[in-house]
Amino acid sequence: PTLLPPALSLPLFVCRSSGEEKSSLQDLKWRSQRFTRIEATMGSDAEARELLKEAEKAVNKKNMFFKKSPDWEKAAQCYQKAGEMFRAPPVKAMPDAVAAFEKAAAAHASNQAHFYAAQMMENAGNILRDLKNPLAAGQHYEKASSHFLDAGKADKGAELLIKAGKAVAEEDVTVAVKRYRRGMKLYEEDDQHIFIGDTWRHCLALLLKNDRKEEAVGLLTDMFDTFERLDQADYLHKAQLSVIILHLSRGDSVAAAAARDSFADFVMCEEGGAACDLIDAVEDG
């Protein structure tokens, strides 16, 4: 049986208030603001299409010399509002919402507002995901990731790449793994190794499910540095044992023994002893 390292056990920090209850007046104010925001996104199909026309006028705006001088900020706002109206009841015209959010993203990007462009692409991706179009959803999440990176938000860029990987995990394993690995790399480059925990576990499970053992060995080997940085000796030893078991499961006891010997002080721990016993048992037949 293949022994896999458990997921990283990350502490959960919950921020709590000072314990003071909000007054009924504050609560009513909050509810009023919330409903105002909700109502602001609701409108008719006709209103949404009028906003699209306003957006097109802003895109094709000309200056006093009759040269094209787009008002990207206004265009982005109109496209975004139209997308919200198309998405919300009573309209719920989801393909139109996707198209409006895509145009809003392009307008925001043209205005160098890449953070908002990323949010619009993520909105479009979420709709496509709900419409059971995972490949298109993944493409939109990947574009959102690029915009977040352009905005200097490496953590959000990594998060959206991983989300793009999850979207297509059942459809295209190769693409999913590449996105997972790229997202993990972004976290590493941003010195946020602690956020890799769930992702490497999902990626490993996907590889093993599809019998891609060589790639699984590569993933586990790459994780050694992360476990060392996080001072997670137990996880490091379990990952090393898993590498040896994967080699043995492929019928390669030579590679298993070489891996064991390359792991410093590994034979001194419990997992190292188990690895030695397994290799000996395989070699003895």
Side-chain angles (χ1 to χ4, degrees):
T2 301
L3 176 62
L4 300 180
L8 285 172
S9 180
L10 302 180
L12 177 63
F13 297 99
V14 181
C15 296
R16 297 186 181 276
S17 67
S18 61
E20 295 180 355
E21 297 278 336
K22 288 184 178 180
S23 68
S24 59
L25 181 60
Q26 290 175 314
D27 186 56
L28 286 173
K29 182 179 179 181
W30 178 84
R31 290 175 183 272
S32 175
Q33 291 173 340
R34 177 173 177 269
F35 288 131
T36 299
R37 289 195 299 270
I38 293 173
E39 289 171 2
T41 65
M42 297 179 68
S44 67
D45 183 88
E47 288 175 307
R49 297 193 186 282
E50 280 300 315
L51 283 168
L52 292 181
K53 292 178 182 178
E54 288 298 314
E56 291 300 319
K57 289 180 182 178
V59 169
N60 294 300
K61 181 181 177 182
K62 296 180 180 180
N63 60 23
M64 65 178 67
F65 301 106
F66 302 102
K67 290 185 177 180
K68 194 171 181 180
S69 179
D71 185 344
W72 292 117
E73 183 175 359
K74 181 178 179 181
Q77 291 174 351
C78 290
Y79 283 133
Q80 181 174 336
K81 185 68 178 295
E84 291 167 351
M85 286 185 175
F86 282 132
R87 178 177 61 181
V91 182
K92 296 193 76 172
M94 296 309 183
D96 290 324
V98 170
F101 283 135
E102 289 173 340
K103 290 182 177 180
H108 278 306
S110 295
N111 199 37
Q112 301 303 308
H114 291 287
F115 183 86
Y116 297 113
Q119 290 182 322
M120 295 303 99
M121 289 305 297
E122 185 176 8
N123 283 348
N126 289 339
I127 294 172
L128 289 164
R129 177 198 61 198
D130 294 341
L131 292 175
K132 310 301 182 186
N133 191 343
L135 295 178
Q139 291 171 350
H140 282 69
Y141 293 146
E142 190 168 20
K143 291 176 182 177
S145 172
S146 295
H147 284 303
F148 276 128
L149 292 176
D150 288 338
K153 301 293 184 181
D155 56 340
K156 289 294 293 182
E159 179 185 325
L160 265 293
L161 263 179
I162 291 166
K163 191 173 182 178
K166 288 182 180 178
V168 301
E170 298 299 321
E171 308 291 330
D172 192 327
V173 176
T174 299
V175 170
V177 170
K178 286 181 179 178
R179 288 172 178 171
Y180 280 144
R181 297 298 298 266
R182 284 168 55 204
M184 291 166 62
K185 185 68 174 178
L186 285 174
Y187 276 134
E188 291 171 358
E189 291 174 350
D190 203 39
D191 200 23
Q192 298 193 58
H193 295 76
I194 196 168
F195 295 115
I196 296 174
D198 285 340
T199 304
W200 79 264
R201 182 164 53 87
H202 290 314
C203 189
L204 179 61
L206 183 63
L207 290 170
L208 293 175
K209 179 181 178 181
N210 290 275
D211 199 32
R212 299 171 78 149
K213 294 177 182 177
E214 186 174 353
E215 291 177 69
V217 168
L219 172 62
L220 287 165
T221 302
D222 289 344
M223 285 301 300
F224 292 170
D225 180 64
T226 295
F227 294 137
E228 289 174 348
R229 284 175 177 268
L230 296 177
D231 196 24
Q232 296 277 2
D234 288 345
Y235 295 114
L236 173 61
H237 295 154
K238 287 180 172 61
Q240 291 169 333
L241 177 57
S242 295
V243 166
I244 290 170
I245 291 173
L246 284 169
H247 282 311
L248 292 174
S249 70
R250 297 172 62 209
D252 194 344
S253 60
V254 174
R260 175 200 59 194
D261 296 341
S262 70
F263 302 151
D265 300 324
F266 178 62
V267 295
M268 305 301 293
C269 68
E270 181 180 353
E271 289 81 4
C276 290
D277 292 341
L278 285 171
I279 293 170
D280 290 342
V282 170
E283 290 179 341
D284 292 341

